[in-house]
Amino acid sequence: MSFSFNETNNLKIELLSKRYPQKKALILPLLWLAQKQEGFISEEAMVKISELSHMPYMHIYSVASFYSMFRLVKNEKKVVEVCRTLSCELNGSQVIKKHLLENYSDKYEILEVECMGACGGAPMCTLEGKYIENVTPKMLDEVLNAN
Amino acid sequence: MQTKIVSKNFEIPHANSLEVALKNGRYTSLEKLFTYQPQEVIDIIKTSNLRGKGGGGAPAGAKWQLASDFEGKKYLVVNADESEPGTFKDRQIISKDPHLLIEGIICTCYAIGANSSYIYVRGEYEEFSDILQIAIDEAYAKNILGDEAKYPVEITIHRGAGAYICGEKSALLESLEGNRGHPRLKPKSPEPEFYFGEPTLVNNVETIASVPFIIENGAEAYTAYGTDCSSGTLLFAISGHVEKAGVYEAEFGVGMWDYIQKLGGGVKNGKKLKAVIPGGASTPILPAHLVMEAKLDYENLKSLGSALGTGGMIVLDEDVSMVKALKNLLRFYHHESCGQCTPCREGTSWVDKTLDKFINKTATLQDLEVLKSVSKSMNGQTICVFAPAASGVIDGFLKHFESEFLECIV
Ligand SMILES: Cc1cc2nc3c(=O)[nH]c(=O)nc-3n(C[C@H](O)[C@H](O)[C@H](O)COP(=O)(O)O)c2cc1C
Ligand code: SF4
Ligand code: FES
């Protein structure tokens, strides 16, 4: 199976190429576009990115695996992230995590993450990347059952 | 108690749209800007004593001068990585008043002679960087940005992908070049940063967003706020055990306890204060009695053995276990170490694991010594200040709350 970017993304790539002094700088933007397009970053996508950025495949792989938000395996379930850092822990992130694990781990992938910059709305979690702040078990039930 | 300079438009509905932004004073500083020579702008920033708001408090003017002194192509990179636990201020600017940031970028690029800029936004902030992107697109459409603008500036948002260390400026530039986010070795003498070998200025979002006010109103209007050494205001953030967590701008020099009570609404549920981590997770903790005398400026917090950092206060009430709080923070450092330096990679891991023994009350006196000696080994022999910061965090907890650690010893 080979990978190619869709038309919209190819247009974006053309624009982006003008914005960076070297092709190598496209690696992160291209990894994001690939992940958006397929839901994860496949080996084939990394081969393509290696061509477009004029960098060896191993470099692409090494970069992709460094950053925690890049997913190198396909994920069938939707992702819920719970922040576990201090402001959230002080405001009950453990209760949120427990509620999620006990009730939703079959339908969702539950991940613990570090501070998301939402400490003012602690405890917080995300659903498919979207922030839910001052979250309570009841709110989770409403949001997750509706999804 | 609030002083609204950067946050002036935060409450205005739709201030993120160009139309509303223009009605509320955005881009008016540009008229003034173009009456000055670039060097004059740098001199104004120097006189204003504007200090970097990303955590270090380095004078902005001197950094601008370093970048400006180079001939040829240069870049401005805006640091919107905002990953320091307890810090959530740049996000407010990006989502509530993105045109203020764009205006600041134009002023800064003009001053240092750059035409290209990047805003490095942490990957998790997708919702907020989308708002910023719309504002940038609007500014291009109206020739505020781009080739047709009075002074041509390009702005490109570069999305991070989940790595705390990419907030460190040289790691950020590595990431922007398409590499892993590994900090670079520091030069011996002052010099700008380099992006693909070209001189580059890296400033925090809030630093850049403070520039239009200074250009428009003059340096003295800025130094009228704050203290002699810490001029102006900061978007202080407050979280943890407080009634009204949030971001409230205030002058440097206000009392910390005053701030917590008046703006933070006091300690949650009427509990007593135990301690405050004053400026993001990487600043040493202050016990309640020092909080009472602390002032929110660089010099005062330094004199109390801590630091102002990002100004993100985390408030801890009387019921908090200091052992658990330190464990929470060290798990963070262990997770986020980039792994290049042995004292950092091994040290954060070792302390994280040793703290489990304290949590489980199976620690020995020797484990306490391990915490102290590992912390010492993390200080001063690493590529970046991540490890020394973690060391300062450990030392702060042990200095002020050692008895709680001793209680966990069998
Ligand atoms: C581990 C580490 C993380 C950092 N994270 C950030 C960050 O998220 N945002 C930021 O603006 N500066 C951060 N900094 C500071 C930057 O290295 C740099 O000093 C700053 O962006 C310069 O801008 P300023 O002078 O306007 O503050 C970090 C530094 C270190 C050592
Ligand atoms: S001190 Fe830690 S985070 Fe900084 S470069 Fe060394 S290993 Fe990486
Ligand atoms: S500690 Fe959870 S968002 Fe900052």
Side-chain angles (χ1 to χ4, degrees), chain A residues 19-21 24 32 36 59 62 66-69 84 86-87 89-91 115-120 131 133, chain B residues 88 91 118 122 125-127 140 154-156 158 160-162 175 178-181 239-241 268 328 331:
Chain A
R19 291 294 182 86
Y20 293 99
K24 190 179 158 201
W32 271 123
K36 284 252 154 178
H59 180 79
S62 136
F66 177 80
Y67 297 92
S68 64
M69 289 181 80
R84 69 179 188 188
L86 191 55
S87 295
E89 185 171 284
L90 294 173
N91 284 295
C115 182
M116 303 277 279
C119 329
Y131 282 38
E133 302 188 28
Chain B
F88 45 101
R91 170 188 157 184
Y118 300 96
R122 70 177 294 180
Y125 277 1
E126 188 174 19
E127 291 168 59
Y140 268 102
E154 297 268 28
I155 301 182
T156 308
H158 193 91
S175 182
N179 298 322
R180 293 175 152 234
S239 67
H241 287 143
K268 216 171 167 178
N328 184 294
R331 184 178 56 185

Side-chain angles (χ1 to χ4, degrees), chain B residues 312-331:
Chain B
M313 288 167 259
I314 306 173
V315 176
L316 288 73
D317 78 15
E318 54 187 323
D319 296 336
V320 175
S321 151
M322 288 301 166
V323 175
K324 281 192 186 155
L326 182 61
K327 164 72 190 178
N328 184 294
L329 294 176
L330 259 295
R331 184 178 56 185

Side-chain angles (χ1 to χ4, degrees), chain B residues 168-187:
Chain B
E168 197 277 337
K169 56 186 186 251
S170 63
L172 186 151
L173 291 169
E174 285 292 316
S175 182
L176 197 58
E177 288 185 6
N179 298 322
R180 293 175 152 234
H182 283 172
R184 299 171 177 166
L185 286 164
K186 300 286 167 294

Side-chain angles (χ1 to χ4, degrees), chain B residues 51-60 63 77-84 87 89-90 164-170 172 183 186 201-208 282 298 310 333 384-387 389:
Chain B
R51 294 174 70 169
K53 298 176 194 287
K63 270 171 69 170
V77 174
V78 179
N79 190 341
D81 194 56
E82 187 152 82
S83 312
E84 174 75 11
T87 311
K89 63 186 178 77
D90 297 336
Y164 168 72
I165 198 60
C166 287
E168 197 277 337
K169 56 186 186 251
S170 63
L172 186 151
K186 300 286 167 294
L201 170 67
V202 181
N203 269 133
N204 171 261
V205 170
E206 192 188 348
T207 315
I208 298 296
S282 301
Y298 294 102
T310 64
Y333 286 107
C384 87
V385 299
F386 175 100

Side-chain angles (χ1 to χ4, degrees), chain B residues 43-308:
Chain B
D43 291 338
I44 293 171
I45 294 302
K46 282 184 186 162
T47 316
S48 77
N49 193 23
L50 174 66
R51 294 174 70 169
K53 298 176 194 287
K63 270 171 69 170
W64 289 23
Q65 190 71 60
L66 283 175
S68 153
D69 286 347
F70 276 78
E71 299 283 324
K73 189 150 184 73
K74 6 185 156 166
Y75 296 95
L76 169 65
V77 174
V78 179
N79 190 341
D81 194 56
E82 187 152 82
S83 312
E84 174 75 11
T87 311
F88 45 101
K89 63 186 178 77
D90 297 336
R91 170 188 157 184
Q92 318 293 330
I93 299 171
I94 289 169
S95 59
K96 292 181 178 160
D97 199 358
H99 288 288
L100 176 63
L101 178 61
I102 299 171
E103 188 179 352
I105 290 174
I106 297 170
C107 296
T108 312
C109 281
Y110 176 76
I112 66 166
N115 298 103
S116 306
S117 67
Y118 300 96
I119 308 176
Y120 188 99
V121 186
R122 70 177 294 180
E124 292 85 349
Y125 277 1
E126 188 174 19
E127 291 168 59
F128 316 120
S129 64
D130 285 351
I131 298 174
L132 178 60
Q133 185 62 58
I134 292 171
I136 292 172
D137 293 345
E138 283 179 307
Y140 268 102
K142 285 276 184 300
N143 289 334
I144 296 169
L145 292 172
D147 287 342
E148 305 293 312
K150 186 145 186 196
Y151 178 79
V153 171
E154 297 268 28
I155 301 182
T156 308
I157 293 182
H158 193 91
R159 230 183 128 192
Y164 168 72
I165 198 60
C166 287
E168 197 277 337
K169 56 186 186 251
S170 63
L172 186 151
L173 291 169
E174 285 292 316
S175 182
L176 197 58
E177 288 185 6
N179 298 322
R180 293 175 152 234
H182 283 172
R184 299 171 177 166
L185 286 164
K186 300 286 167 294
K188 279 213 174 65
S189 51
E191 58 176 41
E193 305 300 317
F194 291 94
Y195 177 56
F196 285 122
E198 311 284 3
T200 299
L201 170 67
V202 181
N203 269 133
N204 171 261
V205 170
E206 192 188 348
T207 315
I208 298 296
S210 304
V211 171
F213 175 90
I214 300 171
I215 300 303
E216 184 149 13
N217 301 289
E220 285 74 25
Y222 196 70
T223 52
Y225 297 103
T227 67
D228 284 349
C229 295
S230 303
S231 300
T233 62
L234 194 74
L235 290 175
F236 291 98
I238 185 158
S239 67
H241 287 143
V242 282
E243 288 292 345
K244 292 192 339 206
V247 172
Y248 313 101
E249 186 172 5
E251 285 185 64
F252 286 108
V254 300
M256 183 183 278
W257 181 231
D258 217 25
Y259 184 101
I260 293 170
Q261 288 185 298
K262 290 199 182 124
L263 298 175
V267 181
K268 216 171 167 178
N269 301 324
K271 292 258 172 72
K272 278 208 201 91
L273 178 75
K274 184 166 192 175
V276 175
I277 298 171
S282 301
T283 55
I285 193 163
L286 293 177
H289 71 274
L290 289 181
V291 172
M292 300 303 149
E293 59 180 89
K295 299 228 180 313
L296 292 173
D297 64 68
Y298 294 102
E299 290 68 33
N300 182 271
L301 285 168
K302 195 168 174 210
S303 75
L304 296 176
S306 186
L308 183 81

Side-chain angles (χ1 to χ4, degrees), chain A residues 66-135:
Chain A
F66 177 80
Y67 297 92
S68 64
M69 289 181 80
F70 290 136
R71 317 195 115 253
L72 302 187
V73 280
K74 192 159 185 135
N75 201 13
E76 303 303 336
K77 296 182 196 170
K78 288 188 177 171
V79 177
V80 177
E81 297 163 313
V82 198
C83 171
R84 69 179 188 188
T85 316
L86 191 55
S87 295
C88 284
E89 185 171 284
L90 294 173
N91 284 295
S93 62
Q94 289 299 321
V95 177
I96 301 301
K97 179 182 144 195
K98 192 160 167 270
H99 186 77
L100 283 166
L101 288 177
E102 281 173 4
N103 300 289
Y104 296 100
S105 40
D106 50 340
K107 250 181 90 186
Y108 293 91
E109 186 178 347
I110 320 277
L111 299 174
E112 275 194 291
V113 293
E114 300 294 353
C115 182
M116 303 277 279
C119 329
M124 70 83 69
C125 64
T126 69
L127 170 61
E128 295 285 273
K130 222 166 153 42
Y131 282 38
I132 311 175
E133 302 188 28
N134 298 305
V135 66

